Amino acid sequence: MARKTGSNGEKTARDLRRAATSLFARHGYAAVSMRQIAQAIGVQAGALYLYTPDKQSLLADLMATHMTELLDAWQAEADAGAAPEDRLEQFVRFHIGFHAGRPDEVFIAYMELRNLEPDNLALLQKQRRAYEDVLEDILKSGVAAGRFDIPDTRLATMALIAMLTGVTTWFRSGGRLTLEEIEETYLSMVRGAVGLT
Amino acid sequence: MARKTGSNGEKTARDLRRAATSLFARHGYAAVSMRQIAQAIGVQAGALYLYTPDKQSLLADLMATHMTELLDAWQAEADAGAAPEDRLEQFVRFHIGFHAGRPDEVFIAYMELRNLEPDNLALLQKQRRAYEDVLEDILKSGVAAGRFDIPDTRLATMALIAMLTGVTTWFRSGGRLTLEEIEETYLSMVRGAVGLT
DNA sequence: GTCTATATTACGATAGAC
DNA sequence: GTCTATCGTAATATAGAC
């Protein structure tokens, strides 16, 4: 009971982020008004400005938070000492699992880059690049160990991330395939694509 | 000289489509105003309504035209009688080549679905599905012929199209790699992913 | 912390002159 | 075919009461 009666700030702050994430993903940042967000959480539009200095900062914060969580989650479970093929498998499972559980955040992180102002865009591109480098490092180590057959690790990185991230555009929990089945299929395609026998 | 002096309608109509395509791709449909489009082609905002009944129709028309051109272009060069692995190669080269030459249209076709009104969305999803079926038919024929090793052709279709379309997000003519080099690399990754030896 | 009220600006679309 | 002018609406953001 850290908060006073009638004071709802922390809950409203959480609701705001959740509502904005959902609305931005569904309709796009530019198409969503502050009034819509306010209505979704049951406050007046003016009250939103207690929690964010402006609409742009809200978008930038949602995107940066998502990328930070992504990078932290990987750091927490990565095993840098494992063999390249095992690290690749771990990455594929991690990427699909993490992204499938956050379809709205992923959608925003990929679709709303163009609505970020320059400073915010620069930060996000740095974070994306750091995540791409995670996979590229794995591919490089596999090539160095003679386990992977990849002419250009940068190109393969972009290709594989695009393939894996695409899952979020059509995956729905409870659909035709379980996440485990999808992971298996994608893993075998990724293995084939990098030339693992 | 089919047109009268001082009459510029056909050129303006072309300019309108080109400017709208560029602006929608760069900033997003919802973020672009009719005034911006008008300014880009040097007319007043009101004049745009001589060429489109409204902003939504303009978007829907651009997207449907792109998909129609994509499907027609494939029909014009597809060789349905060839062996599965040859048809797959042809599709990969076609897809990369066609999409790399139209980055703005591709961007819009994938990003602005959520801004289409229901009737327009239904048409576009039908067209997308038809294009996805092109690849899935190839994969199915390869599986039937014992040439491809694919547990789920629908899943593989979505994965491969996501991978191939991703090229447009970073490919720039004159960059580090030529389109031919990219085609070769992607082709070898696709071959591996479908289990072609 | 949330409210009402409002300043300011911009939007999509239309009317009618030329 | 394009213009100017404008209607009606809605946007972001702020001010100040409670």
Side-chain angles (χ1 to χ4, degrees):
Chain A
M1 291 302 177
R3 301 203 61 80
K4 292 180 244 163
T5 310
S7 180
N8 241 351
E10 286 175 13
K11 176 179 182 323
T12 303
R14 276 197 309 276
D15 288 350
L16 166 58
R17 295 177 67 87
R18 186 164 43 222
T21 299
S22 172
L23 286 167
F24 287 167
R26 206 168 333 279
H27 307 290
Y29 169 77
V32 172
S33 69
M34 296 296 269
R35 282 172 175 79
Q36 279 177 271
I37 299 171
Q39 190 179 32
I41 63 178
V43 302
Q44 296 295 319
L48 299 182
Y49 292 87
L50 295 168
Y51 303 95
T52 180
D54 50 40
K55 194 185 173 192
Q56 166 72 201
S57 301
L58 175 57
L59 174 65
D61 186 48
L62 291 176
M63 293 174 78
T65 299
H66 169 68
M67 290 305 296
T68 299
E69 287 175 355
L70 173 65
L71 288 163
D72 288 351
W74 171 256
Q75 286 302 327
E77 71 171 69
D79 178 5
E85 53 263 47
D86 294 335
R87 292 173 68 201
L88 181 63
E89 173 173 344
Q90 192 187 10
F91 181 86
V92 170
R93 294 189 189 280
F94 167 79
H95 186 97
I96 292 179
F98 189 92
H99 285 68
R102 293 166 174 77
D104 287 350
E105 285 84 349
V106 173
F107 209 68
I108 293 170
Y110 277 78
M111 304 280 254
E112 301 296 356
L113 288 170
R114 60 190 172 180
N115 284 313
L116 286 178
E117 289 166 7
D119 286 359
N120 296 327
L121 177 60
L123 169 61
L124 210 88
Q125 283 178 326
K126 194 175 141 196
Q127 291 177 304
R128 280 187 64 155
R129 178 71 190 216
Y131 186 67
E132 290 161 6
D133 286 345
V134 165
L135 176 55
E136 190 173 3
D137 283 347
I138 294 172
L139 298 183
K140 281 179 179 166
S141 73
V143 169
R147 304 285 302 142
F148 301 164
D149 179 19
I150 300 170
D152 189 307
T153 54
R154 187 76 206 151
L155 198 55
T157 297
M158 302 308 283
L160 294 179
I161 285 184
M163 186 176 96
L164 295 173
T165 305
V167 173
T168 57
T169 63
W170 51 261
F171 173 72
R172 294 295 172 272
S173 183
R176 183 170 66 90
L177 299 167
T178 69
L179 202 53
E180 287 70 28
E181 291 169 327
I182 292 166
E183 276 183 20
E184 294 306 322
T185 300
Y186 271 75
L187 187 56
S188 80
M189 294 183 76
V190 168
R191 285 183 196 277
V194 301
L196 253 180
T197 51
Chain B
M1 291 300 181
R3 300 202 61 82
K4 294 181 241 163
T5 310
S7 182
N8 241 351
E10 287 174 12
K11 176 179 183 325
T12 302
R14 277 196 309 276
D15 287 350
L16 167 56
R17 295 176 66 87
R18 186 163 44 223
T21 299
S22 172
L23 286 167
F24 288 167
R26 205 167 335 275
H27 306 293
Y29 169 77
V32 173
S33 70
M34 295 296 269
R35 282 171 174 80
Q36 278 178 271
I37 300 171
Q39 190 179 31
I41 64 178
V43 303
Q44 296 295 318
L48 298 182
Y49 292 87
L50 294 168
Y51 303 96
T52 180
D54 50 40
K55 192 185 174 191
Q56 166 74 200
S57 302
L58 175 58
L59 174 65
D61 186 48
L62 291 176
M63 292 173 78
T65 300
H66 169 69
M67 290 305 296
T68 300
E69 287 176 356
L70 173 65
L71 288 162
D72 287 352
W74 171 255
Q75 287 302 327
E77 69 172 68
D79 179 5
E85 53 264 46
D86 293 335
R87 292 173 68 201
L88 181 64
E89 174 173 345
Q90 194 188 9
F91 181 85
V92 170
R93 293 188 189 281
F94 167 80
H95 186 96
I96 292 178
F98 190 93
H99 285 67
R102 293 166 175 76
D104 286 350
E105 286 84 349
V106 172
F107 208 69
I108 293 170
Y110 277 79
M111 304 282 252
E112 301 297 354
L113 288 170
R114 61 190 171 181
N115 283 312
L116 286 178
E117 289 166 8
D119 287 358
N120 296 327
L121 177 60
L123 169 61
L124 210 89
Q125 283 178 326
K126 195 175 138 196
Q127 290 177 303
R128 279 187 65 154
R129 178 71 189 216
Y131 185 69
E132 290 162 5
D133 286 345
V134 165
L135 177 56
E136 190 173 5
D137 284 347
I138 294 172
L139 298 183
K140 281 179 179 166
S141 73
V143 169
R147 303 285 302 143
F148 300 164
D149 179 20
I150 301 171
D152 188 306
T153 55
R154 187 78 207 148
L155 198 55
T157 297
M158 302 308 284
L160 293 180
I161 286 184
M163 185 176 95
L164 295 173
T165 305
V167 173
T168 58
T169 63
W170 50 263
F171 173 72
R172 294 295 172 270
S173 182
R176 183 169 64 89
L177 300 166
T178 68
L179 202 53
E180 288 71 28
E181 291 169 327
I182 293 166
E183 276 183 22
E184 294 306 322
T185 299
Y186 271 76
L187 187 56
S188 80
M189 294 183 76
V190 169
R191 285 183 197 276
V194 301
L196 253 180
T197 51

mmCIF file of all heavy atoms in Angstrom, chain A residues 69-91:
data_model
loop_
_atom_site.group_PDB
_atom_site.id
_atom_site.type_symbol
_atom_site.label_atom_id
_atom_site.label_comp_id
_atom_site.label_asym_id
_atom_site.label_seq_id
_atom_site.Cartn_x
_atom_site.Cartn_y
_atom_site.Cartn_z
ATOM 1 N N GLU A 69 14.697 -4.474 -23.726
ATOM 2 C CA GLU A 69 14.262 -5.752 -23.175
ATOM 3 C C GLU A 69 14.743 -6.911 -24.039
ATOM 4 O O GLU A 69 15.130 -7.971 -23.529
ATOM 5 C CB GLU A 69 12.730 -5.781 -23.052
ATOM 6 C CG GLU A 69 12.214 -4.905 -21.915
ATOM 7 C CD GLU A 69 10.691 -4.836 -21.869
ATOM 8 O OE1 GLU A 69 10.038 -5.388 -22.790
ATOM 9 O OE2 GLU A 69 10.159 -4.224 -20.942
ATOM 10 N N LEU A 70 14.700 -6.712 -25.357
ATOM 11 C CA LEU A 70 15.163 -7.751 -26.276
ATOM 12 C C LEU A 70 16.639 -8.057 -26.054
ATOM 13 O O LEU A 70 17.031 -9.226 -25.898
ATOM 14 C CB LEU A 70 14.920 -7.292 -27.723
ATOM 15 C CG LEU A 70 15.494 -8.177 -28.829
ATOM 16 C CD1 LEU A 70 14.824 -9.548 -28.843
ATOM 17 C CD2 LEU A 70 15.348 -7.496 -30.189
ATOM 18 N N LEU A 71 17.443 -7.015 -26.013
ATOM 19 C CA LEU A 71 18.883 -7.210 -25.843
ATOM 20 C C LEU A 71 19.207 -7.793 -24.468
ATOM 21 O O LEU A 71 20.051 -8.680 -24.346
ATOM 22 C CB LEU A 71 19.617 -5.874 -26.054
ATOM 23 C CG LEU A 71 19.654 -5.399 -27.508
ATOM 24 C CD1 LEU A 71 20.003 -3.911 -27.602
ATOM 25 C CD2 LEU A 71 20.663 -6.221 -28.320
ATOM 26 N N ASP A 72 18.529 -7.303 -23.441
ATOM 27 C CA ASP A 72 18.768 -7.823 -22.090
ATOM 28 C C ASP A 72 18.366 -9.293 -21.975
ATOM 29 O O ASP A 72 19.070 -10.090 -21.346
ATOM 30 C CB ASP A 72 17.984 -6.995 -21.059
ATOM 31 C CG ASP A 72 18.592 -5.619 -20.859
ATOM 32 O OD1 ASP A 72 19.695 -5.376 -21.389
ATOM 33 O OD2 ASP A 72 17.975 -4.785 -20.167
ATOM 34 N N ALA A 73 17.228 -9.629 -22.590
ATOM 35 C CA ALA A 73 16.756 -11.012 -22.511
ATOM 36 C C ALA A 73 17.762 -11.958 -23.171
ATOM 37 O O ALA A 73 18.009 -13.063 -22.679
ATOM 38 C CB ALA A 73 15.382 -11.141 -23.166
ATOM 39 N N TRP A 74 18.320 -11.515 -24.291
ATOM 40 C CA TRP A 74 19.318 -12.359 -24.941
ATOM 41 C C TRP A 74 20.577 -12.486 -24.092
ATOM 42 O O TRP A 74 21.097 -13.588 -23.885
ATOM 43 C CB TRP A 74 19.672 -11.835 -26.337
ATOM 44 C CG TRP A 74 20.844 -12.574 -26.916
ATOM 45 C CD1 TRP A 74 22.118 -12.128 -27.027
ATOM 46 C CD2 TRP A 74 20.838 -13.927 -27.407
ATOM 47 N NE1 TRP A 74 22.919 -13.103 -27.562
ATOM 48 C CE2 TRP A 74 22.159 -14.221 -27.809
ATOM 49 C CE3 TRP A 74 19.852 -14.903 -27.548
ATOM 50 C CZ2 TRP A 74 22.515 -15.456 -28.345
ATOM 51 C CZ3 TRP A 74 20.211 -16.132 -28.082
ATOM 52 C CH2 TRP A 74 21.526 -16.398 -28.474
ATOM 53 N N GLN A 75 21.047 -11.360 -23.571
ATOM 54 C CA GLN A 75 22.247 -11.392 -22.724
ATOM 55 C C GLN A 75 22.068 -12.338 -21.545
ATOM 56 O O GLN A 75 23.002 -13.019 -21.128
ATOM 57 C CB GLN A 75 22.567 -9.977 -22.212
ATOM 58 C CG GLN A 75 23.158 -9.067 -23.280
ATOM 59 C CD GLN A 75 24.428 -9.602 -23.912
ATOM 60 O OE1 GLN A 75 25.226 -10.271 -23.254
ATOM 61 N NE2 GLN A 75 24.618 -9.366 -25.206
ATOM 62 N N ALA A 76 20.842 -12.377 -21.019
ATOM 63 C CA ALA A 76 20.599 -13.186 -19.826
ATOM 64 C C ALA A 76 20.686 -14.674 -20.101
ATOM 65 O O ALA A 76 20.965 -15.458 -19.185
ATOM 66 C CB ALA A 76 19.226 -12.848 -19.240
ATOM 67 N N GLU A 77 20.466 -15.074 -21.328
ATOM 68 C CA GLU A 77 20.454 -16.510 -21.577
ATOM 69 C C GLU A 77 21.456 -16.969 -22.632
ATOM 70 O O GLU A 77 21.537 -18.162 -22.924
ATOM 71 C CB GLU A 77 19.040 -16.975 -21.947
ATOM 72 C CG GLU A 77 18.541 -16.545 -23.302
ATOM 73 C CD GLU A 77 17.214 -17.251 -23.627
ATOM 74 O OE1 GLU A 77 16.196 -16.937 -22.981
ATOM 75 O OE2 GLU A 77 17.208 -18.093 -24.531
ATOM 76 N N ALA A 78 22.220 -16.068 -23.188
ATOM 77 C CA ALA A 78 23.172 -16.458 -24.222
ATOM 78 C C ALA A 78 24.323 -17.276 -23.625
ATOM 79 O O ALA A 78 24.768 -17.018 -22.516
ATOM 80 C CB ALA A 78 23.728 -15.205 -24.901
ATOM 81 N N ASP A 79 24.753 -18.254 -24.371
ATOM 82 C CA ASP A 79 25.898 -19.062 -23.956
ATOM 83 C C ASP A 79 26.984 -18.913 -25.008
ATOM 84 O O ASP A 79 27.037 -19.648 -25.985
ATOM 85 C CB ASP A 79 25.474 -20.532 -23.819
ATOM 86 C CG ASP A 79 26.664 -21.419 -23.421
ATOM 87 O OD1 ASP A 79 27.763 -20.869 -23.172
ATOM 88 O OD2 ASP A 79 26.476 -22.642 -23.377
ATOM 89 N N ALA A 80 27.844 -17.926 -24.781
ATOM 90 C CA ALA A 80 28.835 -17.569 -25.797
ATOM 91 C C ALA A 80 29.885 -18.652 -26.000
ATOM 92 O O ALA A 80 30.592 -18.664 -26.999
ATOM 93 C CB ALA A 80 29.515 -16.249 -25.416
ATOM 94 N N GLY A 81 29.984 -19.570 -25.046
ATOM 95 C CA GLY A 81 31.021 -20.589 -25.169
ATOM 96 C C GLY A 81 30.600 -21.823 -25.950
ATOM 97 O O GLY A 81 31.429 -22.693 -26.218
ATOM 98 N N ALA A 82 29.333 -21.913 -26.304
ATOM 99 C CA ALA A 82 28.836 -23.109 -26.978
ATOM 100 C C ALA A 82 29.310 -23.184 -28.427
ATOM 101 O O ALA A 82 29.845 -22.218 -28.966
ATOM 102 C CB ALA A 82 27.310 -23.136 -26.915
ATOM 103 N N ALA A 83 29.099 -24.319 -29.044
ATOM 104 C CA ALA A 83 29.478 -24.498 -30.448
ATOM 105 C C ALA A 83 28.576 -23.646 -31.343
ATOM 106 O O ALA A 83 27.418 -23.397 -30.994
ATOM 107 C CB ALA A 83 29.350 -25.972 -30.837
ATOM 108 N N PRO A 84 29.085 -23.219 -32.504
ATOM 109 C CA PRO A 84 28.307 -22.332 -33.391
ATOM 110 C C PRO A 84 26.917 -22.877 -33.713
ATOM 111 O O PRO A 84 25.936 -22.115 -33.679
ATOM 112 C CB PRO A 84 29.184 -22.253 -34.642
ATOM 113 C CG PRO A 84 30.567 -22.468 -34.147
ATOM 114 C CD PRO A 84 30.448 -23.444 -33.010
ATOM 115 N N GLU A 85 26.816 -24.164 -34.025
ATOM 116 C CA GLU A 85 25.492 -24.681 -34.382
ATOM 117 C C GLU A 85 24.532 -24.669 -33.199
ATOM 118 O O GLU A 85 23.331 -24.489 -33.373
ATOM 119 C CB GLU A 85 25.591 -26.091 -34.983
ATOM 120 C CG GLU A 85 26.344 -27.094 -34.159
ATOM 121 C CD GLU A 85 27.798 -27.222 -34.619
ATOM 122 O OE1 GLU A 85 28.456 -26.167 -34.815
ATOM 123 O OE2 GLU A 85 28.282 -28.358 -34.785
ATOM 124 N N ASP A 86 25.077 -24.832 -31.977
ATOM 125 C CA ASP A 86 24.212 -24.757 -30.803
ATOM 126 C C ASP A 86 23.797 -23.316 -30.507
ATOM 127 O O ASP A 86 22.661 -23.047 -30.106
ATOM 128 C CB ASP A 86 24.923 -25.361 -29.586
ATOM 129 C CG ASP A 86 25.142 -26.859 -29.758
ATOM 130 O OD1 ASP A 86 24.368 -27.473 -30.512
ATOM 131 O OD2 ASP A 86 26.095 -27.393 -29.158
ATOM 132 N N ARG A 87 24.730 -22.392 -30.705
ATOM 133 C CA ARG A 87 24.400 -20.979 -30.501
ATOM 134 C C ARG A 87 23.354 -20.545 -31.529
ATOM 135 O O ARG A 87 22.442 -19.765 -31.217
ATOM 136 C CB ARG A 87 25.647 -20.107 -30.638
ATOM 137 C CG ARG A 87 26.660 -20.325 -29.511
ATOM 138 C CD ARG A 87 27.956 -19.573 -29.785
ATOM 139 N NE ARG A 87 27.791 -18.130 -29.720
ATOM 140 C CZ ARG A 87 28.614 -17.253 -30.285
ATOM 141 N NH1 ARG A 87 29.670 -17.680 -30.967
ATOM 142 N NH2 ARG A 87 28.393 -15.960 -30.189
ATOM 143 N N LEU A 88 23.484 -21.044 -32.752
ATOM 144 C CA LEU A 88 22.501 -20.697 -33.784
ATOM 145 C C LEU A 88 21.120 -21.215 -33.406
ATOM 146 O O LEU A 88 20.115 -20.507 -33.519
ATOM 147 C CB LEU A 88 22.924 -21.280 -35.141
ATOM 148 C CG LEU A 88 21.997 -20.981 -36.315
ATOM 149 C CD1 LEU A 88 21.926 -19.485 -36.603
ATOM 150 C CD2 LEU A 88 22.455 -21.731 -37.580
ATOM 151 N N GLU A 89 21.074 -22.452 -32.943
ATOM 152 C CA GLU A 89 19.785 -23.008 -32.521
ATOM 153 C C GLU A 89 19.189 -22.196 -31.379
ATOM 154 O O GLU A 89 17.993 -21.882 -31.381
ATOM 155 C CB GLU A 89 19.945 -24.469 -32.085
ATOM 156 C CG GLU A 89 18.666 -25.038 -31.483
ATOM 157 C CD GLU A 89 18.735 -26.539 -31.185
ATOM 158 O OE1 GLU A 89 19.653 -27.205 -31.712
ATOM 159 O OE2 GLU A 89 17.863 -27.020 -30.449
ATOM 160 N N GLN A 90 20.033 -21.845 -30.428
ATOM 161 C CA GLN A 90 19.539 -21.063 -29.297
ATOM 162 C C GLN A 90 18.985 -19.711 -29.765
ATOM 163 O O GLN A 90 17.930 -19.262 -29.297
ATOM 164 C CB GLN A 90 20.682 -20.841 -28.296
ATOM 165 C CG GLN A 90 20.186 -20.302 -26.959
ATOM 166 C CD GLN A 90 21.326 -19.914 -26.024
ATOM 167 O OE1 GLN A 90 22.490 -19.860 -26.416
ATOM 168 N NE2 GLN A 90 20.965 -19.627 -24.780
ATOM 169 N N PHE A 91 19.685 -19.101 -30.703
ATOM 170 C CA PHE A 91 19.230 -17.802 -31.197
ATOM 171 C C PHE A 91 17.888 -17.925 -31.912
ATOM 172 O O PHE A 91 16.985 -17.108 -31.713
ATOM 173 C CB PHE A 91 20.272 -17.187 -32.139
ATOM 174 C CG PHE A 91 19.868 -15.838 -32.668
ATOM 175 C CD1 PHE A 91 20.138 -14.683 -31.936
ATOM 176 C CD2 PHE A 91 19.193 -15.713 -33.878
ATOM 177 C CE1 PHE A 91 19.744 -13.431 -32.408
ATOM 178 C CE2 PHE A 91 18.796 -14.460 -34.354
ATOM 179 C CZ PHE A 91 19.082 -13.328 -33.613
#
